[in-house]
Amino acid sequence: MVTEEEIKKVAKLMRIDIDDYIEYVDKVHAMINYFDILDSAGVEDEEISMPEIPISNLREDKHIPFDQKLIEKLNHYKGTYVRAPKMSS
Amino acid sequence: MTMIGLEIHCQLTNLESKLFCSCKANYREFKINENICPVCMGLPGSLPRLNQEAVKKATIIAMALNCTTPEKIAFFRKNYFYPDSPKNFQITQLNIYGDTSVGGAGSIMVGDKKIRITRIQLEEDPGRLIYEGSSSKNQITLVDYNRAGTPLVEIVTEPDFETPKEVRDFLNILSDVLTNLGVANPSLEGAMRADANVSIEGGKKVEIKNIGSFHDLEKATHFEITRQESLHSRDIEIIQETRHWDDKRKITVSSRSKEEELDYRYFLEGDIPWIKMDSAIHTKLQSEMPESISSKKERYVSKYNIPTQVADVLSSDKYYSDLFEASHTESNAKEVANIITTDLMGLVDTREKREASKFTATHLKELADSVQSGKIARNSSKNALHEILKTGKDLSTVVKEMDLGNVSDESELSAIITQVILEESQAVEQAKSNPQTINYLVGKVMQKTKGKADPALTLDLLKKQIGI
Amino acid sequence: MNLKISALEYVQEVKTGNISAEDFVAKTIERIQNVDDKLNAFLTVNETSVDQAREIDKKIKSGYKVGDCFGMPISIKDNICIKDSKTTCASKMLENYISPYDATVISKLKQQDAIFVGKVNMDEFAMGLTTEFSAYGPSKNPWNNDYVPGGSSGGSAVSVSAFECVASLGSDTGGSVRNPASFCSTVGYKPTYGLISRYGLISYANSIEQIGPLTRTVKDTAFMLNMIAGLDSNDNTTIDNKNEDYLSGIESGIEGKKIGIIKEMIGEGIDPKILSATKNAISKLENLGAICEEISLDMVKYSVAAYYTITATEAGSNLARFDNLRYGYDFPLEGYEFNSYISKARCNFGPEVTRRLIIGGFVPSTGHAGKYFSKALKVKMKLTKEIDKIFKKFDLLVAPTVPILPFKLGEKIDDPVSLFLVDINTVTANLTGKPSISVPFANSNGLPIGIQLMADSLNDKLLLQAGYALEQTVSLPEVPL
């Protein structure tokens, strides 16, 4: 059961302001409900793994500066710092 | 019983490039936001490229701290929003699916005490924040991403420390070990940071963050123990919480209580496959590791007969041991060690002084050899060292310019001795009957030569001239 | 000038001098101007395309070496970065974002003298099946403008199918290339995971997605693959395909190959027309000498739930970087505190993306530990084991790409779970990393039906041979445009 309270909490966690929580409750509830089907998959014993590569495939430790002044392409404010809002104390 | 545990973050600034891209690992010389690229800025579509050398260096650290090293290592995402984190997640290591951090359980001796290491992990440093504006109304946060992506090794210890002093000692030893391995430079500003957790009488654990230096760490842990003991003695409950160190007021302060619990939603980093670390790699890395501090110390004591305390200083500071290794010979080792630890040490006690010093291993070898062979007296060698450190001139030039050389020319010395014998006829007679008293005459020769007479030669020639 | 030619035909015509790149590209741009108002495939059109084509003609005339594309006009899904171009992911969050670098696939195609005529529409951040979740309006199916073109690479499929370009690059996370390819009657390809570099593809679910070509013929797809596949140092997840040539031997046929018919993909809920087309395809495959047999992949019934759980989690993390601080849209930060600013800025995500982000915050969270995300990962592991076992005995697998016919715009937009299930036949290839192709096979009252083939990892060459063989058995009507 997905409550409005839970949606509020998660929206905060994901940093998204939602105007109308009620609108989301139903759809999110339907989606999460559907996921309950996973309970009957019988996969408790499966082990998680990922593809492996040898350490020799990894990038060589070399300093190669990026070929452009990247900060100029992203942000035109205040010198070259990126500006962010004040942090709450 | 007081229990203190540490979480130390050490930057691998000796690497050439960042953990996931080819920007420079040591960001300190760059202008604001000029050491960035699409990867460390987390631009849309960018992907991390793991630094091979970083994995090796982190593994070497794990080995030096006697940690277990896994067969494969994995990376995870720690998700949280903060302006210094361009992706709003940090790529770090965890052990959710077996042991997959670069280092597992290990230990290190601090004096007679064994401090257990819980784990060692490789992760990326975020950028740096600066706060602008005086009133809270106009305040803006300024972000410099030059540091974002710098490779960090996080070392977590068990809460085995019982006093702040133990913590301080441990950090000094750890700094020496890391410097000796050549993987980091803890003396660089911000290169090594630590958080602590403190509990007393088996009570709740309090975490302390935002500690700027090791000096502050000692103070912070001391304060926190006192704070907890005070609460305990008044039967007030110690809350499990995170506090931060307020450097101005020199106290720990409760961090603003967060309404939502920190939920990092950890999961595997899909952009980085698991890395196979088989025994062949481990063997190779082990063989490439520089000699450990304790091994050096042992060697200095047993092979060169260097006193334990001297060997301690020499071995634990890489600057000194490097100098020693490059300048010593079988015969002059003890003298080299001596010069370093008595004369040189006071002159190079800071990073800046060491960088400015022009005193090289070649200089040191020459100096030691000259002192041993009597060409220059101990006092004079100290003066010579001072001068060389400043100017870099070679020893013979300095000796000449400052007139420091021992008088070891036989004829020159003989002439002076003859003079002394003439002037001190009574002492000469005494010496003939009581050979012990000849030292008075040696002293007189020393006076005349301003201490530069070669003592052994002087005694020899005196005896000859007097006829004893 | 005939725009209705394949990529290989185009290259041949330009090489032999029968047509000039400039003429063809100019006609292509004209075509876009004529039809795209109705179809809404393009988000941005490259104004310099004709100039670039002219330069290539010059190169050809002066005998300089020209890349394999000879100025071929290609459309690019708007989640693939082109340097100094707008890349919006069909979102208001990236309204004015200009990428400072090229995706690897773009660099490779640039080297081959391809011309990018424009960026095409998609579901916002690739989350959707119909392009209806684009912040810039849905694209329309060229076969019937009231119907969805499929998604999320809807713009890609439409632009190829409507002759607004010769080929397109899309991205496939759960069927997003194959599904619109099937709905618009083009070839759609999802390679083995790791075959094509994702550097420059704006991530949605990075552990399972791949860039894939949409083309008019299977040979064209092989041609594209030859140019863009291969190890890339910019992407640690790419694998070594040993410079495989996917075009050579593509006509080898499938004599003696064993093909498994995935029973869970032709079961309950399948449209009877789709079922009959599938049966038809199977008999065609058998006529070509293949041996077809029904097989079961039990985990398929959990695959959609697993897929949406995993992708929501990854999306929740991949889209966290869009906080409007370093790039994004115009929204001054004075007067705001950090968390309130970014929470407000992120309101510019559309409703579907917002829903997925909520799910993505929910399912891996410590409060529901083990329940959803962990189970989904385990389903992924088990499904992969199941399919690996099947591929020990079978060379290929077959099923319809989508179990239902293209549907009308607006029909499924309010029912998320019903929309989820459109993916049921395609997510398996993504979850297991296996290559998969959708080949246009039939047409039911003007609505296209595609058949899907799958092969084992790194068997892309065989898959293309099978796709080609199947393609040659049918002759389909032309799009009514």
Side-chain angles (χ1 to χ4, degrees):
Chain A
M1 187 56 216
V2 172
T3 62
E4 193 184 322
E5 204 49 51
E6 287 180 298
I7 303 241
K8 274 199 184 133
K9 221 175 87 176
V10 174
K12 196 160 185 195
L13 179 68
M14 303 304 279
R15 302 295 189 276
I16 309 184
D17 272 350
I18 293 182
D19 283 331
D20 186 359
Y21 289 102
I22 302 286
E23 199 197 299
Y24 282 87
V25 170
D26 284 338
K27 289 219 174 101
V28 171
H29 180 61
M31 289 157 137
I32 304 256
N33 251 6
Y34 177 66
F35 300 158
D36 279 335
I37 197 178
L38 294 170
D39 283 338
S40 40
V43 287
E44 289 73 30
D45 296 331
E46 289 299 321
E47 271 182 29
I48 309 295
S49 67
M50 262 183 85
E52 292 171 23
I53 57 172
I55 192 172
S56 49
N57 279 21
L58 297 178
R59 174 177 59 90
E60 203 186 321
D61 182 32
K62 260 202 185 128
H63 171 218
I64 305 170
F66 187 61
D67 58 10
Q68 303 158 49
K69 213 165 175 220
L70 186 56
I71 194 65
E72 283 174 3
K73 302 251 166 159
L74 293 179
N75 188 301
H76 305 285
Y77 317 116
K78 188 86 183 197
T80 48
Y81 277 106
V82 168
R83 291 170 91 231
K86 68 174 183 217
M87 306 305 298
S88 50
S89 47
Chain B
M1 199 188 71
T2 306
M3 289 167 69
I4 308 170
L6 295 178
E7 215 177 85
I8 301 123
H9 287 94
C10 183
Q11 289 178 338
L12 299 180
T13 42
N14 285 10
L15 288 172
E16 277 303 309
S17 60
K18 290 183 178 178
L19 189 56
F20 298 118
C21 68
S22 303
C23 292
K24 198 141 174 69
N26 188 358
Y27 51 90
R28 289 166 178 82
E29 273 148 42
F30 288 88
K31 288 197 263 187
I32 308 300
N33 282 319
E34 289 204 352
N35 185 34
I36 59 174
C37 75
V39 176
C40 55
M41 279 301 268
L43 291 193
S46 66
L47 297 173
R49 291 158 20 238
L50 184 57
N51 181 335
Q52 189 179 143
E53 199 57 35
V55 175
K56 288 183 176 167
K57 291 276 192 276
T59 305
I60 287 176
I61 294 174
M63 289 174 173
L65 296 177
N66 306 303
C67 297
T68 59
T69 44
E71 278 170 2
K72 39 185 174 264
I73 64 170
F75 288 86
F76 289 77
R77 290 193 186 179
K78 179 179 181 181
N79 297 285
Y80 64 96
F81 289 84
Y82 215 68
D84 61 7
S85 178
K87 301 184 293 289
N88 283 321
F89 62 83
Q90 179 198 37
I91 301 180
T92 178
Q93 293 197 298
L94 281 174
N95 297 311
I96 299 182
Y97 307 117
D99 284 332
T100 52
S101 302
V102 281
S107 66
I108 186 170
M109 297 305 292
V110 178
D112 288 327
K113 184 160 183 175
K114 182 188 221 184
I115 299 293
R116 293 169 299 161
I117 308 288
T118 316
R119 66 173 185 275
I120 300 192
Q121 58 199 56
L122 196 51
E123 58 188 35
E124 52 179 347
D125 221 349
R128 306 186 69 192
L129 299 185
I130 301 172
Y131 304 100
E132 182 192 77
S134 44
S135 76
S136 53
K137 254 193 212 153
N138 296 323
Q139 209 176 47
I140 289 286
T141 310
L142 298 175
V143 195
D144 175 12
Y145 292 102
N146 282 348
R147 190 181 75 176
T150 294
L152 278 185
V153 159
E154 180 178 315
I155 300 168
V156 183
T157 76
E158 294 290 332
D160 289 347
F161 301 99
E162 287 171 281
T163 68
K165 183 173 183 305
E166 272 177 14
V167 167
R168 191 66 200 274
D169 289 340
F170 166 78
L171 289 169
N172 286 335
I173 290 174
L174 182 63
S175 286
D176 289 338
V177 168
L178 293 174
T179 310
N180 186 51
L181 287 174
V183 298
N185 190 349
S187 65
L188 284 176
E189 204 224 307
M192 211 156 139
R193 290 119 54 187
D195 295 330
N197 52 73
V198 179
S199 68
I200 61 165
E201 316 294 329
K204 297 257 171 69
K205 212 167 30 163
V206 172
E207 286 200 39
I208 313 170
K209 292 190 181 290
N210 195 45
I211 303 170
S213 67
F214 292 167
H215 189 50
D216 285 345
L217 183 57
E218 206 180 346
K219 284 210 202 118
T221 45
H222 182 78
F223 175 85
E224 184 57 26
I225 293 168
T226 311
R227 185 190 77 91
Q228 289 189 18
E229 280 173 350
S230 157
L231 289 174
H232 182 75
S233 67
R234 291 181 278 154
D235 272 321
I236 301 174
E237 194 199 344
I238 297 163
I239 318 166
Q240 175 164 351
E241 57 170 347
T242 302
R243 300 172 72 83
H244 67 267
W245 173 246
D246 184 323
D247 194 43
K248 287 207 178 78
R249 298 190 282 164
K250 306 287 183 214
I251 60 173
T252 63
V253 178
S254 186
S255 294
R256 186 181 53 94
S257 66
K258 308 203 172 10
E259 302 105 62
E260 90 267 8
E261 18 167 316
L262 285 164
D263 186 350
Y264 295 116
R265 307 183 333 269
Y266 292 105
F267 63 92
L268 276 168
E269 173 52 77
D271 290 331
I272 305 176
W274 290 10
I275 316 295
K276 277 196 280 245
M277 303 290 288
D278 56 31
S279 51
I281 310 261
H282 289 139
T283 312
K284 186 161 193 286
L285 287 175
Q286 192 85 51
S287 70
E288 288 170 5
M289 267 172 80
E291 190 185 8
S292 76
I293 292 174
S294 44
S295 161
K296 280 186 205 175
K297 180 175 169 181
E298 225 246 85
R299 184 162 57 88
Y300 297 162
V301 168
S302 58
K303 189 166 178 204
Y304 303 110
N305 250 322
I306 289 170
T308 320
Q309 249 127 320
V310 177
D312 216 2
V313 174
L314 264 189
S315 60
S316 60
D317 191 327
K318 188 167 191 287
Y319 182 74
Y320 298 146
S321 56
D322 280 349
L323 260 177
F324 177 80
E325 299 296 337
S327 59
H328 80 284
T329 62
E330 193 81 41
S331 55
N332 73 5
K334 237 175 149 166
E335 186 61 51
V336 168
N338 193 29
I339 294 177
I340 293 177
T341 54
T342 51
D343 300 338
L344 182 63
M345 226 167 91
L347 303 171
V348 288
D349 52 354
T350 67
R351 188 165 57 88
E352 289 79 18
K353 286 185 190 166
R354 288 181 182 186
E355 277 170 15
S357 161
K358 297 192 164 70
F359 187 71
T360 66
T362 317
H363 288 135
L364 180 51
K365 180 169 185 305
E366 269 188 327
L367 194 58
D369 287 338
S370 299
V371 170
Q372 259 195 309
S373 64
K375 283 211 190 75
I376 171 172
R378 286 238 96 253
N379 284 3
S380 311
S381 80
K382 208 169 185 160
N383 294 337
L385 199 159
H386 258 272
E387 184 65 19
I388 297 170
L389 194 141
K390 260 195 306 187
T391 64
K393 294 187 185 147
D394 66 72
L395 182 61
S396 46
T397 312
V398 170
V399 164
K400 211 176 264 160
E401 284 179 2
M402 293 174 71
D403 192 26
L404 294 173
N406 273 357
V407 179
S408 43
D409 180 70
E410 269 205 42
S411 51
E412 199 188 335
L413 201 48
S414 296
I416 296 174
I417 288 170
T418 310
Q419 182 78 0
V420 169
I421 289 175
L422 278 170
E423 290 172 7
E424 305 283 339
S425 42
Q426 245 197 333
V428 172
E429 286 310 312
Q430 234 191 341
K432 280 185 188 165
S433 51
N434 187 1
Q436 306 279 44
T437 60
I438 200 167
N439 286 318
Y440 172 77
L441 289 166
V442 174
K444 281 291 172 196
V445 176
M446 284 300 184
Q447 253 178 18
K448 275 214 190 287
T449 60
K450 296 196 180 69
K452 291 185 292 171
D454 184 327
L457 188 59
T458 306
L459 188 60
D460 206 41
L461 291 171
L462 255 176
K463 281 188 184 161
K464 277 207 186 98
Q465 286 206 23
I466 295 175
I468 49 173
Chain C
M1 164 154 304
N2 183 15
L3 290 177
K4 301 176 181 179
I5 54 176
S6 73
L8 289 173
E9 281 166 348
Y10 168 86
V11 168
Q12 194 55 25
E13 294 289 273
V14 172
K15 247 187 189 160
T16 53
N18 288 344
I19 59 174
S20 75
E22 185 181 346
D23 280 345
F24 191 88
V25 172
K27 269 282 180 304
T28 302
I29 298 288
E30 204 186 297
R31 172 78 172 169
I32 295 172
Q33 284 158 352
N34 288 342
V35 304
D36 209 61
D37 272 340
K38 261 196 311 208
L39 300 175
N40 199 34
F42 281 82
L43 293 175
T44 45
V45 177
N46 178 6
E47 307 294 335
T48 68
S49 303
V50 180
D51 296 330
Q52 284 175 38
R54 192 175 305 127
E55 290 305 307
I56 289 173
D57 281 330
K58 277 195 200 139
K59 260 211 286 194
I60 299 171
K61 273 217 172 69
S62 21
Y64 280 123
K65 180 152 192 340
V66 183
D68 292 342
C69 286
F70 284 87
M72 188 169 101
I74 301 180
S75 73
I76 301 291
K77 186 176 182 182
D78 208 17
N79 61 355
I80 297 173
C81 293
I82 298 184
K83 184 171 168 179
D84 300 332
S85 274
K86 266 208 310 186
T87 302
T88 68
C89 293
S91 177
K92 290 268 192 270
M93 282 301 289
L94 290 180
E95 205 164 49
N96 294 314
Y97 177 66
I98 297 189
S99 174
Y101 72 97
D102 276 329
T104 297
V105 293
I106 297 297
S107 310
K108 287 186 166 180
L109 288 174
K110 270 186 183 172
Q111 270 172 3
Q112 297 295 351
D113 285 323
I115 291 178
F116 306 119
V117 284
K119 302 301 272 312
V120 286
N121 203 12
M122 50 186 280
D123 284 290
E124 190 182 354
F125 285 108
M127 297 186 212
L129 289 147
T130 62
T131 337
E132 290 172 297
F133 294 127
S134 163
Y136 303 101
S139 301
K140 316 282 175 66
N141 194 321
W143 292 82
N144 184 328
N145 295 166
D146 293 332
Y147 284 71
V148 301
S152 58
S153 311
S156 289
V158 170
S159 58
V160 171
S161 158
F163 308 110
E164 295 177 284
C165 61
V166 172
S168 183
L169 284 188
S171 71
D172 191 313
T173 314
S176 292
V177 161
R178 292 161 287 156
N179 164 312
S182 174
F183 276 17
C184 293
S185 202
T186 74
V187 176
Y189 194 83
K190 184 207 83 74
T192 302
Y193 182 78
L195 196 69
I196 297 179
S197 169
R198 286 180 299 108
Y199 181 66
L201 168 67
I202 298 179
S203 290
Y204 153 32
N206 50 316
S207 73
I208 57 176
E209 63 198 354
Q210 280 288 280
I211 290 176
L214 293 96
T215 58
R216 294 201 189 108
T217 68
V218 176
K219 275 187 177 174
D220 282 356
T221 285
F223 172 59
M224 295 292 284
L225 227 58
N226 277 353
M227 293 185 286
I228 60 178
L231 214 48
D232 180 22
S233 58
N234 281 322
D235 178 354
N236 273 160
T237 60
T238 51
I239 54 183
D240 191 2
N241 74 334
K242 305 196 176 19
N243 284 322
E244 179 105 77
D245 181 348
Y246 298 102
L247 258 182
S248 84
I250 199 169
E251 297 182 22
S252 304
I254 48 169
E255 175 82 44
K257 296 285 184 250
K258 282 194 82 182
I259 306 184
I261 307 161
I262 306 171
K263 103 171 183 216
E264 285 82 6
M265 296 188 184
I266 51 170
E268 200 187 301
I270 190 173
D271 186 304
K273 299 203 183 71
I274 306 272
L275 185 59
S276 97
T278 308
K279 290 201 169 129
N280 197 356
I282 291 167
S283 72
K284 290 262 159 66
L285 291 168
E286 282 171 332
N287 287 343
L288 291 167
I291 305 154
C292 299
E293 199 182 296
E294 205 176 75
I295 58 107
S296 168
L297 279 177
D298 191 48
M299 287 288 114
V300 166
K301 51 173 151 342
Y302 308 105
S303 61
V304 172
Y307 170 80
Y308 279 99
T309 307
I310 292 170
T311 55
T313 300
E314 294 191 1
S317 177
N318 285 321
L319 269 63
R321 70 193 68 202
F322 302 113
D323 56 16
N324 216 42
L325 294 182
R326 292 161 294 281
Y327 42 82
Y329 65 97
D330 210 12
F331 175 25
L333 46 83
E334 277 75 13
Y336 283 94
E337 176 271 331
F338 174 67
N339 285 310
S340 60
Y341 175 82
I342 65 176
S343 302
K344 190 135 200 247
R346 284 156 69 80
C347 283
N348 247 12
F349 284 129
E352 179 63 13
V353 170
T354 304
R355 272 191 291 274
R356 304 283 188 100
L357 294 180
I358 299 291
I359 308 263
F362 219 107
V363 293
S365 76
T366 48
H368 293 257
K371 185 160 169 59
Y372 297 110
F373 183 62
S374 168
K375 287 218 171 93
L377 284 182
K378 292 182 177 183
V379 165
K380 178 175 188 272
M381 296 278 110
K382 192 159 181 199
L383 178 59
T384 307
K385 268 201 215 143
E386 274 183 3
I387 206 172
D388 280 341
K389 204 163 166 206
I390 299 281
F391 275 127
K392 288 210 164 42
K393 292 220 214 97
F394 289 82
D395 301 295
L396 299 151
L397 297 175
V398 68
T401 308
V402 189
I404 57 172
L405 287 166
F407 43 91
K408 285 202 171 142
L409 288 154
E411 198 176 296
K412 287 195 185 290
I413 199 163
D414 289 317
D415 185 353
V417 178
S418 140
L419 198 52
F420 277 0
L421 288 165
V422 175
D423 261 348
I424 187 149
N425 287 6
T426 44
V427 297
T428 293
N430 302 87
L431 289 174
T432 59
K434 307 298 180 195
S436 174
I437 187 171
S438 177
V439 177
F441 186 75
N443 200 284
S444 167
N445 287 342
L447 295 174
I449 298 173
I451 295 294
Q452 179 186 216
L453 291 162
M454 276 167 64
D456 202 0
S457 301
L458 281 178
N459 263 357
D460 299 73
K461 198 169 162 72
L462 168 65
L463 184 59
L464 289 160
Q465 286 165 352
Y468 176 77
L470 183 61
E471 177 194 51
Q472 295 306 300
T473 64
V474 285
S475 157
L476 291 169
E478 235 188 51
V479 66
L481 256 182

